[in-house]
């Protein structure tokens, strides 16, 4: 049977798009070269910031606003459909800026304020009252009460189950190798198993998208950027807020686990952990929350973030290709932006006006 839409890649972007389309009675086939939801989307920390800090005219500002509006309903709907709690919680966040440079802290506060996020500045006594385990040498930080988190593996499990319920044909271990055409029009995909016909194809293959895009005649750059994570376990939750300092952070889960992330390394498709990466994360955690030195080491992993040249995802129809779309390159924000991305891509495919103007994210052959 032919599908209306074939989605290449079963990460959070592909699955959310499939969920949206299938909710509109579109026949969707989703193909993944491995197990869906086991790559970057599984590996991520699940931090959902309240805004895109900085210039409110930035193309991702409206995306962030829209995605933050969608998260509560999406989480509730998934829970109702599947019985799975995805762990969406508004836990709040604390920003440390940089210990050695108070100017960075001020700049970050201003950037959040510019974006319209609620920001509270905390002095030493406020910090002790807010999270008593934070290193007392940290005398100033800011609080983002609206920051939320989600448990990635739970969210993906819920999405997968909801997609099954909506009739999405999910095929695992099927690698898309190229596209087949009817004249100039893309008419489906060639895979390691078979050829599949479809009216529309969506490339949502995360860090692996570049090769597929090139084979469709669209040379966009998307490179893998390794991020390592360490998972610790404490007898109970040691603090409530996500604590962020530059690109690194601590994420407390309700069950006492604490996730320490993350590195940013350009090492190709290598997902191994390194001694240096883990040592850096562990000493970062201990410096911020000294009592974590007594926590149990549970495990470590790494994932490959899909990074574009300007750090923004490509979302939209490929130039000159009526039936081929891309939704890839979300870098550090793919979990956060997945609800709005899935919604917008499905609207573009259905020929509806999207809830957010994504024309600035449209792929162009100029890069
Ligand atoms: C350590 C780390 C921490 C992160 N923390 C956060 C965070 O706190 N908040 C946040 O919002 N984001 C975070 N991210 C980023 C986020 O995880 C990614 O942006 C997001 O998961 C990208 O989703 P995706 O669906 O595009 O890619 P992926 O999840 O990588 O999925 C792509 C899928 O495509 C499949 N595929 C690839 N090629 C083919 C092919 N040819 N044929 C068939 N299938 C194919 C793969 O098997 C894979 O399952 C983090 C990432 C990492 C690594």
């Amino acid at each position: 049977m032919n599908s209306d839409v074939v989605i290449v890649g079963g990460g959070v972007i592909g699955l959310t798009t499939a969920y949206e389309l299938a909710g509109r009675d579109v026949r969707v086939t989703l193909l993944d070269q491995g197990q869906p939801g086991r790559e970057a989307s599984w590996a991520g920390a699940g931090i959902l910031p309240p805004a895109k800090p900085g210039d409110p005219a930035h193309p991702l500002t409206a995306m962030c606003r829209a995605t933050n509006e969608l998260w509560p309903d999406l989480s509730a709907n998934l829970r109702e459909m599947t019985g799975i709690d995805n762990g969406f919680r508004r836990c709040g966040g604390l920003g440390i800026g940089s210990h050695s440079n108070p100017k960075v802290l001020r700049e970050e506060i201003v950037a959040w304020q510019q974006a319209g996020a609620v920001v509270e500045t905390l002095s030493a006594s406020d910090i002790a009252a807010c999270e008593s385990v934070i290193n007392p040498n940290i005398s100033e930080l800011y609080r983002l009460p609206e920051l939320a988190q989600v448990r990635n593996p739970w969210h993906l499990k819920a999405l997968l189950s909801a997609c099954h319920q909506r009739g999405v044909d999910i095929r695992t271990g099927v690698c898309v190798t190229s596209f087949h055409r009817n004249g100039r029009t893309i008419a489906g995909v060639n895979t390691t198993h078979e050829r599949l016909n479809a009216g529309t194809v969506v490339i949502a293959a995360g860090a692996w998208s570049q090769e597929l895009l090139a084979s469709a005649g669209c040379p966009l750059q998307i490179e893998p950027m390794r991020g390592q994570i360490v998972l610790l376990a404490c007898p109970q939750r040691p603090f409530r807020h996500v604590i962020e300092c530059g690109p690194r952070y601590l994420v407390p889960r309700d069950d006492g686990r604490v996730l320490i992330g993350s590195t940013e390394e350009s090492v190709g498709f290598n997902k191994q952990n390194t001694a240096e990466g883990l040592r850096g994360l562990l000493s970062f955690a201990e410096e911020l929350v000294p009592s974590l030195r007594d926590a149990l080491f549970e495990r470590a992993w790494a994932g490959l973030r899909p990074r574009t040249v300007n750090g923004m995802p490509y979302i939209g129809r490929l130039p000159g290709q009526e039936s081929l779309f891309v939704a890839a390159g979300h870098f550090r924000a793919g979990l956060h932006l997945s609800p709005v991305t899935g919604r917008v891509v499905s609207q573009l495919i259905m020929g509806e006006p999207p809830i957010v103007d994504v024309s600035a994210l449209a792929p162009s052959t100029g890069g």
Side-chain angles (χ1 to χ4, degrees), residues 324-363:
L324 186 56
F325 289 77
V326 62
H330 291 71
F331 192 35
R332 296 187 70 118
L335 248 294
H336 182 217
L337 296 178
S338 56
V340 70
T341 302
R343 178 68 57 87
V344 163
V345 173
S346 61
Q347 289 171 323
L348 292 174
I349 290 172
M350 304 299 282
E352 298 166 10
I355 48 165
V356 178
D357 175 12
V358 287
S359 48
L361 307 177

Side-chain angles (χ1 to χ4, degrees), residues 249-260:
Y249 45 77
L250 304 174
V251 181
R253 303 300 198 197
D254 288 347
D255 55 12
R257 292 191 167 94
V258 176
L259 209 135
I260 314 168

Side-chain angles (χ1 to χ4, degrees), residues 25-367:
D25 292 331
V26 175
R27 283 174 310 162
V28 182
T29 300
L30 181 142
L31 309 172
D32 199 288
Q33 63 185 2
Q35 292 287 330
R38 295 296 303 177
E39 291 292 349
S41 303
W42 180 91
I47 302 169
L48 311 177
K52 161 87 186 144
D55 179 6
H58 191 282
L60 292 185
T61 301
M63 290 281 283
C64 284
R65 197 174 303 125
T67 214
N68 285 342
E69 279 169 20
L70 292 172
W71 265 107
D73 280 353
L74 174 63
S75 303
N77 292 343
L78 289 175
R79 188 176 189 153
E80 198 177 312
M81 271 181 88
T82 67
I84 300 169
D85 169 17
N86 67 4
F88 174 77
R89 309 271 186 275
R90 229 177 271 288
C91 56
L94 299 177
I96 309 278
S98 155
H99 301 295
S100 49
N101 189 353
K103 196 167 151 260
V104 174
L105 188 81
R106 304 267 171 282
E107 284 168 1
E108 286 184 11
I109 292 172
V110 170
W112 286 111
Q113 285 168 335
Q114 272 183 324
V118 178
V119 198
E120 300 161 3
T121 310
L122 305 189
S123 62
S125 59
D126 301 327
I127 297 169
C130 179
E131 294 287 12
S132 58
V133 293
I134 288 188
N135 189 332
N137 292 334
I138 297 172
S139 57
E140 200 178 11
L141 49 72
Y142 60 86
R143 177 168 180 265
L144 300 167
E146 295 163 330
L147 183 142
Q149 63 163 287
V150 67
R151 300 276 292 247
N152 306 27
W154 299 359
H155 182 62
L156 292 159
K157 200 169 160 200
L159 272 176
L160 260 171
S161 168
C163 282
H164 278 301
Q165 282 186 44
R166 287 187 168 178
V168 178
D169 178 5
I170 297 176
R171 304 195 193 172
T172 64
V174 178
C175 180
V176 172
T177 50
S178 61
F179 303 94
H180 72 86
R181 294 168 192 269
N182 187 356
R184 288 170 56 87
T185 310
I186 300 272
V189 295
N190 299 315
T191 79
T192 38
H193 291 56
E194 59 185 326
R195 163 186 280 217
L196 289 169
N197 296 324
T200 302
V201 176
V202 181
I203 300 175
W208 294 264
S209 300
Q210 178 171 306
E211 212 176 307
L212 287 168
L213 287 160
S215 82
C218 194
L220 299 175
Q221 197 180 320
I222 299 183
E223 64 160 335
M225 188 61 56
R226 182 171 69 188
Q228 302 189 47
I229 297 251
V230 176
L231 185 67
L232 302 181
C234 303
Q236 66 250 333
R237 192 179 59 180
F239 47 93
R240 234 168 3 108
H241 293 79
V242 169
I243 307 175
E244 293 186 283
C245 183
R248 295 189 290 187
Y249 45 77
L250 304 174
V251 181
R253 303 300 198 197
D254 288 347
D255 55 12
R257 292 191 167 94
V258 176
L259 209 135
I260 314 168
S262 180
T263 59
E264 246 180 51
E265 302 157 274
S266 180
V267 289
F269 288 91
N270 177 342
K271 284 193 299 180
Q272 287 179 305
N273 286 111
T274 62
E276 189 189 7
L278 300 188
R279 190 172 50 238
L281 292 173
L282 286 167
S283 49
F284 162 76
E286 196 181 323
E287 197 188 333
L288 253 53
V289 177
S291 58
L292 284 178
R293 75 170 69 95
D294 299 322
L296 299 180
F297 173 82
E298 200 162 296
R299 60 183 293 202
W301 63 82
L304 302 173
R305 306 180 186 96
R307 190 178 74 168
T308 62
V309 177
N310 62 12
M312 294 196 288
Y314 293 113
I315 298 176
R317 188 180 265 118
L318 262 63
Q321 307 282 356
E322 199 48 36
S323 55
L324 186 56
F325 289 77
V326 62
H330 291 71
F331 192 35
R332 296 187 70 118
L335 248 294
H336 182 217
L337 296 178
S338 56
V340 70
T341 302
R343 178 68 57 87
V344 163
V345 173
S346 61
Q347 289 171 323
L348 292 174
I349 290 172
M350 304 299 282
E352 298 166 10
I355 48 165
V356 178
D357 175 12
V358 287
S359 48
L361 307 177
S364 76
T365 36

